[in-house]
Amino acid sequence: MTIQQPAFATPREISRTRRLAIAALLIAILLLTIKFALFLGGGAQTILYPFGIDYGEGIVWQQALRIAAGNAYGSIAQYPAIVFHYPPVFHVLSTATATIFGADQLVAGRTISFLSTLLIGGFAGLIVFRCVREEAGAPAAAICALISSLVLLTMWPVMSRAPLMRVDMTAMAFSFGGVLLGIAALRRPILIHAAALCFVAAVFTKQTSVAAPAATFLTLWLVEPKRARAGLVTTVMGGLAGLGALIWSTDGGFIRHVFLYNVNRFEAWRLQWIATALAVHCLYFWVAGVGAWRRIRDRWPAYRGASLAGIRAQRRAAPADAAWLLILIYFTLATAMSLMIAKSGSSLNYLIEWMCVLAVMVGLTMRDAASTAIGPPATAARLQSVDVLLTAILPAAVAMQALILPAMPDVTTRASIADIRKLVEVVRVAERPVISDDMVILLRAGKGVEWEPAIFAELASKGMWDERPFVRLIEEHHFAFFITEGDRGDALFDSRYTPAVAGAIASAYPVERHLAGYTLHLPAAGR
């Protein structure tokens, strides 16, 4: 039986492919750079916008104020009370930045988030550079790294969260920093401890940041078990030290808030955002899928039939294989984690990690195009004929995806500044507390956030919070008025206000006015 050998590229195919690869790469980098410039401009505009953009910004701001004041993670049994959804790292960073630079805390928090996003892009590029350099040389690796970094900053969920005062981007920056150090630890074992500390910081920024350490330590266990154990020890010790300090300083409140009170109902309709993300970024997913398939196809023969010891020896000899394995495991775990978007109150933030790892895979897939474009002819000659066309098509697909993806959205046009300022002034002169879906308005008016609608609706639905005392406060007109997005019957309103609370608002605050895109629920005349 004759075994058919793969047909390698001919000199004519190599010459044509090189020209096409150079053109496709240049166009892709040009379009991605234009999108990056728009991203920077839109991000700066958003950071300096003085009012709320996202529902979660106001509550994160209030949490930061309470953490700085030393009265966080307290009892929620009596009004006023707020829930602390996350550990305190981001809040502390935003407060420290605002204090050191004398900045507005909303601007400080948004700046940290935006800089974290740029840092994630840089880490993604460095991860790709380390993986590709070993096989294609530094110049080709630099091209792949640049594309990966720029691709990451064009992705819809990333752009939507980058300039907001939310914890997500900072947690991702720590996670990607840990992955980069974990890959570097394949050659420099001491760096596994630095990676571990990054993972601890990520978890204490957002407690669900577990995919990156899981992928890193699983990969290291397959390659260097002793190194994996050392990193796990540092991670566990650092995590326990931080957890113990927070439990002690909050009398156990940290555990209650972050793990017990942070509850969500399942809402299947939110899974449509995953389908939307797949559709919007379909070419990126295709490029990454082709890259993964080619990598597995090319490297599988070296591992087929080998024992675990043989696999470990092979991966030690080819560190790029271990790095690719880490990224594939990370992508699989991030895909599974994206299903958490089905929780009520969730948003695009649950797709961020998935998209960021996808950007790394896109960058890795550019290896053959980059090496064909700038490498010696022998590099391109190693390509099978079946791959020649793909080598030019893949960067062209990246260019097309960059072209059709929307630019950084202008999120500051929801309502006129004049109307929002008018609403802030109405809140400022109120003699009683105000409950608002837009909690930045409360803080701008000098009021504190004393109750957050969405999380208490979740707690009440789970029987973890008795809403009856709060309903009585509404009936007794304890509040000046309510500010909501929409009204009863709207999905968003109904997700934030239980039937009992909504009914009490309708009865005690029957007068409705509309201002700055919000509904104001006011008491009847004379109340």
Side-chain angles (χ1 to χ4, degrees):
M1 180 178 178
T2 302
I3 299 176
Q4 186 174 3
Q5 297 296 322
F8 290 98
T10 66
R12 178 177 295 180
E13 288 176 323
I14 293 169
S15 178
R16 182 178 66 247
T17 302
R18 171 166 290 179
R19 292 194 300 271
L20 291 173
I22 290 172
L25 286 168
L26 288 175
I27 294 171
I29 291 172
L30 174 62
L31 292 173
L32 288 167
T33 301
I34 291 172
K35 287 296 177 69
F36 176 62
L38 295 172
F39 172 78
L40 290 177
Q45 180 185 22
T46 303
I47 287 169
L48 297 175
Y49 181 67
F51 299 110
I53 294 168
D54 175 78
Y55 174 84
E57 285 193 297
I59 190 60
V60 171
W61 185 359
Q62 179 65 66
Q63 290 166 350
L65 294 174
R66 292 276 296 272
I67 288 172
N71 58 353
Y73 303 102
S75 172
I76 64 170
Q78 294 181 332
Y79 174 90
I82 63 170
V83 170
F84 290 75
H85 314 74
Y86 301 111
V89 168
F90 176 82
H91 306 77
V92 172
L93 288 175
S94 66
T95 300
T97 302
T99 301
I100 293 170
F101 294 100
D104 176 90
Q105 187 146 4
L106 182 62
V107 172
R110 287 174 175 171
T111 300
I112 289 173
S113 186
F114 195 70
L115 292 177
S116 295
T117 306
L118 297 178
L119 199 58
I120 298 166
F123 286 154
L126 289 172
I127 290 169
V128 170
F129 183 82
R130 292 191 68 93
C131 294
V132 175
R133 181 181 56 183
E134 305 224 359
E135 299 177 331
I143 292 174
C144 297
L146 177 62
I147 289 176
S148 180
S149 296
L150 293 175
V151 161
L152 188 147
L153 300 174
T154 67
M155 293 186 166
W156 167 44
V158 173
M159 287 193 299
S160 72
R161 290 292 175 184
L164 301 183
M165 188 175 181
R166 300 291 300 263
V167 306
D168 308 284
M169 306 316 299
T170 302
M172 273 304 307
F174 283 125
S175 290
F176 259 47
V179 170
L180 175 61
L181 289 166
I183 291 173
L186 291 169
R187 291 197 177 277
R188 297 182 61 190
I190 192 66
L191 291 179
I192 193 58
H193 300 290
L197 294 178
C198 281
F199 293 140
V200 171
V203 170
F204 280 100
T205 304
K206 185 178 181 182
Q207 65 270 31
T208 56
S209 301
V210 297
T216 300
F217 290 131
L218 179 57
T219 302
L220 285 174
W221 179 81
L222 291 171
V223 180
E224 296 285 355
K226 186 180 296 185
R227 212 161 298 172
R229 288 194 294 270
L232 281 170
V233 168
T234 301
T235 301
V236 171
M237 290 179 62
L240 289 176
L243 184 62
L246 285 168
I247 292 174
W248 175 79
S249 62
T250 62
D251 293 326
F254 175 78
I255 292 291
R256 290 192 295 272
H257 279 257
V258 171
F259 296 107
L260 299 181
Y261 297 159
N262 202 354
V263 296
N264 300 89
R265 290 165 289 180
F266 176 78
E267 294 180 341
W269 68 268
R270 294 178 182 273
L271 292 172
Q272 67 184 348
W273 283 337
I274 295 178
T276 301
L278 284 166
V280 170
H281 305 90
C282 59
L283 291 176
Y284 284 160
F285 276 101
W286 178 75
V287 168
V290 170
W293 166 72
R294 293 171 76 182
R295 185 75 192 186
I296 293 170
R297 180 203 63 188
D298 293 343
R299 299 300 298 155
W300 178 250
Y303 295 94
R304 184 173 50 202
S307 64
L308 181 58
I311 290 174
R312 285 173 173 165
Q314 178 66 30
R315 291 203 183 279
R316 291 189 194 102
D321 286 352
W324 253 103
L325 177 63
L326 192 159
I327 298 304
L328 288 173
I329 294 173
Y330 192 7
F331 183 76
T332 302
L333 295 176
T335 302
M337 294 290 287
S338 71
L339 297 175
M340 294 176 66
I341 202 170
K343 300 190 308 179
S344 64
S346 67
S347 188
L348 299 178
N349 55 324
Y350 283 96
L351 303 181
I352 290 171
E353 191 164 30
W354 193 35
M355 295 291 103
C356 289
V357 186
L358 175 65
V360 172
M361 294 182 67
V362 170
L364 292 173
T365 304
M366 294 297 103
R367 183 199 66 178
D368 287 343
S371 59
T372 297
I374 65 173
T379 302
R382 288 198 298 268
L383 289 174
Q384 297 179 28
S385 292
V386 70
D387 293 328
V388 168
L389 190 58
L390 280 176
T391 298
I393 287 177
L394 290 170
V398 171
M400 180 62 70
Q401 182 73 87
L403 180 65
I404 63 179
L405 277 173
M408 185 80 169
D410 184 359
V411 294
T412 66
T413 57
R414 170 175 176 162
S416 72
I417 292 288
D419 283 346
I420 298 177
R421 292 190 190 281
K422 186 183 299 183
L423 181 53
V424 169
E425 189 58 30
V426 170
V427 174
R428 189 190 311 278
V429 300
E431 297 180 352
R432 287 172 288 172
V434 176
I435 302 298
S436 175
D437 284 352
D438 187 333
M439 289 163 276
V440 171
I441 286 177
L442 300 180
L443 291 161
R444 287 288 182 224
K447 309 281 188 181
V449 178
E450 298 185 353
W451 187 80
E452 181 208 339
I455 191 63
F456 280 100
E458 301 298 329
L459 291 168
S461 71
K462 297 290 187 180
M464 299 177 65
W465 177 69
D466 185 0
E467 65 183 1
R468 290 173 296 179
F470 187 74
V471 169
R472 284 196 294 272
L473 289 176
I474 299 173
E475 294 169 343
E476 294 167 359
H477 294 90
H478 177 81
F479 306 101
F481 53 91
F482 285 75
I483 303 172
T484 67
E485 294 187 81
D487 207 341
R488 296 181 78 179
D490 297 333
L492 190 58
F493 181 98
D494 292 343
S495 70
R496 294 176 179 173
Y497 298 91
T498 66
V501 171
I505 293 172
S507 176
Y509 299 84
V511 179
E512 292 189 0
R513 297 285 185 269
H514 298 279
L515 180 60
Y518 295 103
T519 301
L520 277 64
H521 303 263
L522 306 165
R527 299 305 301 257

